[in-house]
Amino acid sequence: MARKLKQIAIYGKGGIGKSTTTSNISAALAEAGYKVMQFGADPKADSTNTLRGGEYIPSVLDLLAERRRVDAYEAIFEGFGGIYCVEAGGPQPGVGCAGRGIITAVELLKQQRVFEELNIDIVIYDVLGDVVCGGFAVPVREGIAEHVFTVSSSDFMAIYAANNLFRGIERFSNSGGALLGGIIANSINTEFQREIIDDFAARTDTPIVQYVPRSLTVTQAELSGRTTIEAAPQSAQADVYRQLAKRIADHTESKVPTPLNPQQLREWSARWADHLVAAERAEAERSREIA
Amino acid sequence: MAILALKSRPTEITPDADKSGPIELVRYVCAIGAMQSAAAIPRVVPITHCGPGCADKQYMNLAFYNGFQGSGYGGGPVVPSTNASQREVIFGGADRLRELIESSQTVLDADLFVVLTGCIPDLVGDDVGSVVRDFQKKGVPIVYAETGGFRGNNFTGHEAVTRAIIEQYLGPWDGVREQGLVNLWSLLPYQNTFWRGDLEEIKRLLESIGLKVNVLFGPDSAGLSEWRDIPRAQFNLVLSPWLGLATAKLLEERYDQPFLHLPVLPIGARQSGEFLRQVAAFAGLPAEPVEQVIVREETRYYNYIDGFTDFYSEYWWGLPARFAVIGDSAYNLALTKFLVTQLGLIPAKQIVTEDPPVEHRDSIREQFRAIDHDVSVEIDFIEDSYLIHDAIRKADFGHKPPIIFGTTWERDLVKEMKGSLIEVGFPASYEVVLSRSYVGYRGALSLLERIYSTVVSHSA
Ligand SMILES: Nc1ncnc2c1ncn2[C@@H]1O[C@H](COP(=O)(O)OP(=O)(O)O)[C@@H](O)[C@H]1O
Ligand code: SF4
Ligand SMILES: [Mg+2]
C-alpha cells in the first residue's frame, strides 16, 4: 500500500527546545509504529543527537564539502526506533551561505527520492526559526512541508521569532506554501507564563497544540544522550510528548496565521512587561508584609 | 577598502517606479565589466571571482562585438576566474580565490593583478579583502574591487577599479609636484568603441602645448609607472560629463591635488581650440605658444575642410538636416556640440543611455541646454531600447531622412525610417575599430568622412 507522506516543519528561536521537542515527537511516533525521518535544518547539526546516544552524525554539507556528488543515503543514519536521522549542516561560522546550504540539502533528498524509497510516513524538519533569509524558509515554501509548528516559550524573544515565522508563512500562503498547525508552548510552568502565551495565541488566532512543562527529566535524559521517551518512558513528561506526537500525527487542518505587525507586537509586549513589573512589585510587597 | 557606494537609482526618486525592470537590448554591462578597465592598463591582469559566464560575457560584449577591439594583454580569455559554483556559495569562496591567485602568479606575467568580484561572492559575503591583503603583505602587486552586478554597471565598476588601484597600490605620497604633468580621466575603455584612438589624439593635443600626460589606459600608456606617477602630477583633467569626477575628488582628498573638469570632449577646430586654451589657462601655461599650436592645427584642419565644402554645399541630392544621438553622455554631448556648432545640423533627439548616477544628471542636462548660444537641447535618460526606439520614432526629423548616431541596436530602426546610421557606441558590431578616432582635430576629419560616406552610399 502506497502511504501518504506527511511532512512537518518545526521552527523556533535558537535554544528554545526545538530539537528536544522534535526528537521526542519522532521517538513517540516511532514507538507508535510510524516510519519517521528527522531532518535537522540548523547549522548546529545537533538535532538528532538524542536519537543516537548523544552522537553527532556527518551532515549533508560535510559530505558535499568533500566531493561534488553525494549519495543521499550516505547522510542518512538510523537512530532510536529505526528513525532515519539527517542533518543538513552548514558552513563554518562567518563564511558562505547557510541558507543556500539548507536548500541544497533539502533538494538532494528530494531529487534522489529517498522519502519514497524508504517508505517514510512522516518527515519532521527541525529548522532554525529566525527565518533570517530565504534558505530557512525553504521547508515552508514550495510545499515541501505541509504543516508548520512553532516551539515557543513565554519569553518575548521566542514570541518575536514565532511572529516572524507567522509572517513568513503568511507571505507564502497563497503560493502553495505550508500553513500553520499551531504553537507548541514549551517551558510553561507558571500560570503567568501560560497567560502570556495564551494571549499571543489568541491575538494571532493560533491554536496551542500542547503545553510542555520544563522538566528535570528532560535534562537527565539529554545528559544520557537520549530522548525522554527512551530514557524515562514511564514519566509524566514522556506522556506529554506522546500526546503531542499523537496530535501532530492526527493533525490535518492548518491555516494562514494572522501575525502582529511590528508596531502591534511592540505594544503587546510593552503591555505584558508592565503586567510583569506590577506582579513582581506586588510579590515584593507581600513578602515585606510577611517579614 | 574598495566598497562601492550604493548608487541611488533614479527610479527610487521618481514615483514612476515602473520604468525600471527588464531592459531590452542593453547598452552597458554589469560592474564586473570593469575587468576590461584593468586589462586596458598595459601589463595588468584582472582576476575574476565570479560565477561561470560572468567574465566571458563582459569580454564578448565589450571587446568583441563592439568594434572587435580584442582582449589585450591580460583581458578577455586570459582572465583567470574562480568559476564559483554551488560549493563556493555554501562554504564561501575565499579558499578557492586564494588558490587561484597563487597559481595565477606562477602562470601569468603581470605588473599588477586586479581581483574583481561578481554577484556570488558579494552576495555570500566572502571576505575578499582579507585574502587579497594577505598577498599584499607578502609584496604581491594585487588589489581588489567589489563589482557584483547588483552594485552597478561597468561605469561604476570602472570607478571602483580605479579607486582600488589608487587606494591599495599607490600608498601615501609627499614628494614634489611636477609642473606640466597631467593625469587624464576620460572615456571608459572598451565601452567606448573608439577610446584607444581618442585617448591618443587627446594625448597628442595636450603634449602639443607642452604638457606631459599620464594617459593611464590604452596602448599609449606606459602602464603602471604612469599610475605610480599619479600623485606627482600638477593636476587631474576630467574630460567627460561625469565619469572620472569621483576619482579626481578622491585624489584631491588624498593628495591635495587640484582638478579641472571639462565635460565636453572636443571634436573639431572650434571645440579643440577652446579645450587647449582652457587646459593651458588652468595649467598656467603662457598663451602665445598655445595660440601658435592652434594656428598650426587649424591650418591643416581647414585645408581639408576647404575641400569638403565643395561637397557639402554642392551635394544637391540632399544631405540630412536633423540628427539624433543615442549613446553615453560623453560621446553624446561631444557629437551634439560638434554637429550643431560646426555643421549646423538640427538636434532632433538626444538620449543618454549609460544610466549616469542621479547626482550628476542635472549637470549633464545643463551641458546640453548650453550647446550653443542659441541652441538648447532637452535630453532623455533612457536605458531600455524599446523605449529609446519609441522616442526616436516619435521625434520630428522634418521631411528629409534622419541621420542617427547610435549603435548596432539601431540598424533595423534606421532601415525602417529610411535614414542613415553612424555606429558610435556600444555595441558597434558592424565596425572594426583599431586606432580610429572621432575627437580632436584629426578625429573630426575621420568623423566627417564616416558620416558622409554613409550618407552618399545610402542609395548606392
Ligand atoms: N521542556 C524542557 N525541559 C527541560 N529542558 C528543556 C526543555 N526543552 C528544552 N530544554 C533544554 O533546553 C536546551 C536547548 O534545547 P534544544 O532543543 O537544543 O534547543 P533548539 O533546538 O531550539 O536550539 C537543551 O539543553 C534542552 O535540554
Ligand atoms: S550581474 Fe552578477 S551574475 Fe550577472 S554577469 Fe554580472 S556579476 Fe555575473
Ligand atoms: Mg536544535
Side-chain angles (χ1 to χ4, degrees):
Chain A
M1 186 188 77
R3 293 188 270 192
K4 167 110 178 57
L5 173 68
K6 187 168 196 172
Q7 302 200 64
I8 306 275
I10 296 190
Y11 280 74
K13 114 178 197 353
I16 203 62
K18 292 181 298 295
S19 302
T20 308
T21 312
T22 309
S23 301
N24 276 296
I25 295 169
S26 295
L29 289 170
E31 208 183 50
Y34 292 97
K35 260 198 164 315
V36 182
M37 173 179 280
Q38 181 164 325
F39 190 114
D42 183 328
K44 261 199 293 180
D46 64 350
S47 169
T48 58
N49 282 21
T50 51
L51 295 171
R52 293 193 35 91
E55 171 201 318
Y56 280 88
I57 57 173
S59 70
V60 177
L61 293 185
D62 286 340
L63 297 169
L64 263 174
E66 281 164 22
R67 56 203 125 98
R68 298 237 163 222
R69 255 205 77 76
V70 168
D71 181 345
Y73 285 97
E74 294 172 78
I76 302 172
F77 296 81
E78 263 186 74
F80 170 80
I83 296 167
Y84 297 117
C85 303
V86 182
E87 297 284 352
Q92 302 284 315
V95 296
C97 177
R100 189 72 227 172
I102 303 246
I103 296 172
T104 309
V106 172
E107 273 176 359
L108 184 82
L109 267 75
K110 238 177 82 168
Q111 270 164 12
Q112 301 189 7
R113 303 183 60 79
V114 289
F115 305 145
E116 294 83 343
E117 283 170 15
L118 291 174
N119 235 331
I120 289 168
D121 299 307
I122 303 183
V123 181
I124 311 184
Y125 298 90
D126 168 12
V127 197
L128 181 63
D130 291 29
V131 202
V132 280
C133 72
F136 291 87
V138 151
V140 173
R141 246 163 49 195
E142 295 150 21
I144 288 180
E146 305 134 292
H147 309 286
V148 181
F149 296 87
T150 181
V151 177
S152 178
S153 67
S154 59
D155 200 68
F156 178 64
M157 289 305 153
I159 289 177
Y160 178 85
N163 192 64
N164 261 4
L165 170 71
F166 292 1
R167 291 167 68 189
I169 294 173
E170 190 186 35
R171 166 182 307 270
F172 299 119
S173 60
N174 45 22
S175 52
L179 299 181
L180 184 67
I183 297 172
I184 300 167
N186 191 31
S187 302
I188 304 296
N189 290 47
T190 70
E191 200 46 42
F192 194 65
Q193 290 167 333
R194 190 166 169 149
E195 272 173 47
I196 295 177
I197 194 77
D198 279 352
D199 188 36
F200 174 70
R203 287 290 301 269
T204 54
D205 197 18
T206 308
I208 291 192
V209 194
Q210 181 85 7
Y211 299 95
V212 180
R214 196 163 183 86
S215 141
L216 262 178
T217 320
V218 174
T219 317
Q220 280 160 351
E222 187 184 87
L223 287 173
S224 71
R226 289 176 293 170
T227 57
T228 305
I229 297 284
E230 184 184 3
Q234 314 299 339
S235 63
Q237 186 80 3
D239 280 338
V240 171
Y241 287 127
R242 282 191 193 102
Q243 197 170 20
L244 171 60
K246 181 165 180 356
R247 284 185 181 153
I248 285 181
D250 296 343
H251 182 90
T252 49
E253 290 302 312
S254 288
K255 56 181 188 170
V256 183
T258 50
L260 302 179
N261 68 34
Q263 183 59 26
Q264 290 169 325
L265 187 61
R266 267 178 230 135
E267 284 165 11
W268 179 85
S269 72
R271 206 160 40 72
W272 275 105
D274 289 345
H275 274 298
L276 188 64
V277 172
E280 275 179 5
R281 201 168 286 148
E283 179 65 28
E285 218 105 287
R286 197 155 355 123
S287 33
R288 204 168 317 130
E289 274 164 25
I290 293 167
Chain B
M1 285 288 288
I3 303 284
L4 251 179
L6 278 182
K7 104 192 142 117
S8 47
R9 311 284 305 190
T11 46
E12 282 166 8
I13 55 169
T14 65
D16 194 7
D18 278 349
K19 271 194 180 162
S20 76
I23 287 183
E24 200 173 301
L25 308 178
V26 289
R27 291 163 194 271
Y28 50 73
V29 294
C30 81
I32 203 175
M35 65 179 233
Q36 285 301 124
S37 292
I41 306 168
R43 292 184 49 78
V44 171
V45 176
I47 292 177
T48 56
H49 179 22
C50 57
C54 294
D56 180 66
K57 188 167 84 178
Q58 315 305 329
Y59 157 60
M60 289 312 275
N61 277 310
L62 284 175
F64 195 77
Y65 293 113
N66 184 34
F68 304 98
Q69 305 171 60
S71 48
Y73 177 79
V78 177
V79 179
S81 177
T82 52
N83 231 15
S85 60
Q86 174 151 286
R87 171 192 292 256
E88 284 72 32
V89 174
I90 299 173
F91 302 106
D95 294 341
R96 175 86 189 93
L97 176 63
R98 191 172 288 116
E99 195 181 48
L100 180 71
I101 294 172
E102 249 149 31
S103 39
S104 298
Q105 280 175 266
T106 57
V107 183
L108 292 166
D109 177 20
D111 289 349
L112 175 74
F113 290 105
V114 177
V115 175
L116 294 103
T117 55
C119 291
I120 290 179
D122 284 2
L123 282 170
V124 170
D126 278 354
D127 192 358
V128 173
S130 80
V131 173
V132 170
R133 277 190 294 276
D134 283 347
F135 285 96
Q136 288 171 342
K137 278 182 212 137
K138 284 187 251 163
V140 178
I142 186 167
V143 300
Y144 78 100
E146 293 183 349
T147 48
F150 59 88
R151 287 171 175 273
N153 64 13
N154 50 325
F155 286 79
T156 40
H158 172 82
E159 292 198 319
V161 164
T162 309
R163 172 177 282 266
I165 300 177
I166 291 168
E167 291 186 336
Q168 299 166 43
Y169 180 73
L170 290 191
W173 181 86
D174 62 353
V176 185
R177 289 263 142 75
E178 182 181 334
Q179 287 302 303
L181 178 62
V182 51
N183 304 319
L184 177 65
W185 306 100
S186 186
L187 293 169
L188 179 54
Y190 290 95
Q191 162 83 17
N192 182 294
T193 325
F194 306 93
W195 67 283
R196 289 179 296 190
D198 287 351
L199 292 188
E200 183 188 5
E201 173 69 356
I202 300 292
K203 184 180 177 183
R204 186 186 73 81
L205 289 182
L206 293 171
E207 284 177 348
S208 72
I209 58 168
L211 294 170
K212 261 179 73 181
V213 186
N214 284 330
V215 66
L216 303 166
F217 299 97
D220 293 282
S221 165
L224 276 185
S225 61
E226 280 187 2
W227 284 77
R228 285 191 296 267
D229 254 1
I230 284 176
R232 274 210 316 134
Q234 182 190 348
F235 66 102
N236 289 293
L237 172 58
V238 178
L239 185 58
S240 99
W242 66 272
L243 187 72
L245 267 181
T247 306
K249 285 184 183 145
L250 171 70
L251 290 168
E252 182 180 54
E253 249 169 57
R254 219 174 140 83
Y255 302 121
D256 202 16
Q257 200 171 31
F259 69 88
L260 170 64
H261 179 206
L262 299 176
V264 188
L265 257 105
I267 303 181
R270 179 164 147 183
Q271 212 57 44
S272 299
E274 190 178 324
F275 165 69
L276 289 177
R277 289 187 188 103
Q278 281 172 317
V279 176
F282 190 83
L285 301 178
E288 191 42 38
V290 175
E291 292 306 322
Q292 281 170 18
V293 169
I294 293 175
V295 168
R296 201 175 63 223
E297 289 288 340
E298 287 191 351
T299 308
R300 177 179 181 274
Y301 179 83
Y302 283 116
N303 207 317
Y304 283 108
I305 295 292
D306 230 21
F308 171 71
T309 24
D310 288 4
F311 159 82
Y312 202 57
S313 53
E314 298 289 325
Y315 195 78
W316 45 78
W317 291 277
L319 295 175
R322 289 174 192 252
F323 73 101
V325 188
I326 304 156
D328 303 339
S329 57
Y331 245 41
N332 201 328
L333 181 61
L335 286 165
T336 304
K337 196 100 178 173
F338 173 69
L339 298 170
V340 170
T341 61
Q342 308 255 283
L343 292 183
L345 299 188
I346 301 162
K349 195 85 208 162
Q350 328 300 112
I351 301 174
V352 169
T353 54
E354 89 269 32
D355 187 25
V358 175
E359 63 270 26
H360 296 300
R361 292 190 173 205
D362 282 342
S363 71
I364 297 172
R365 273 195 200 95
E366 286 312 314
Q367 287 298 324
F368 278 91
R369 284 179 186 145
I371 280 295
D372 208 352
H373 58 90
D374 56 353
V375 181
S376 168
V377 175
E378 284 305 319
I379 53 168
D380 295 300
F381 294 99
I382 317 181
E383 300 151 64
D384 173 72
S385 293
Y386 174 81
L387 297 175
I388 289 171
H389 292 173
D390 208 38
I392 294 289
R393 280 193 192 94
K394 287 180 184 143
D396 176 14
F397 289 98
H399 303 298
K400 291 183 180 176
I403 179 155
I404 311 268
F405 295 81
T407 72
T408 297
W409 298 140
E410 278 67 67
R411 286 245 150 190
D412 290 342
L413 173 76
V414 170
K415 259 181 224 154
E416 167 197 316
M417 298 176 79
K418 300 191 167 42
S420 299
L421 172 66
I422 316 294
E423 291 188 24
V424 289
F426 173 86
S429 309
Y430 295 97
E431 292 275 335
V432 176
V433 180
L434 305 179
S435 70
R436 198 185 330 157
S437 161
Y438 287 157
V439 308
Y441 293 98
R442 298 194 174 166
L445 299 178
S446 312
L447 180 62
L448 288 174
E449 290 170 346
R450 189 91 192 94
I451 295 173
Y452 291 101
S453 301
T454 308
V455 170
V456 296
S457 64
H458 184 69
S459 53

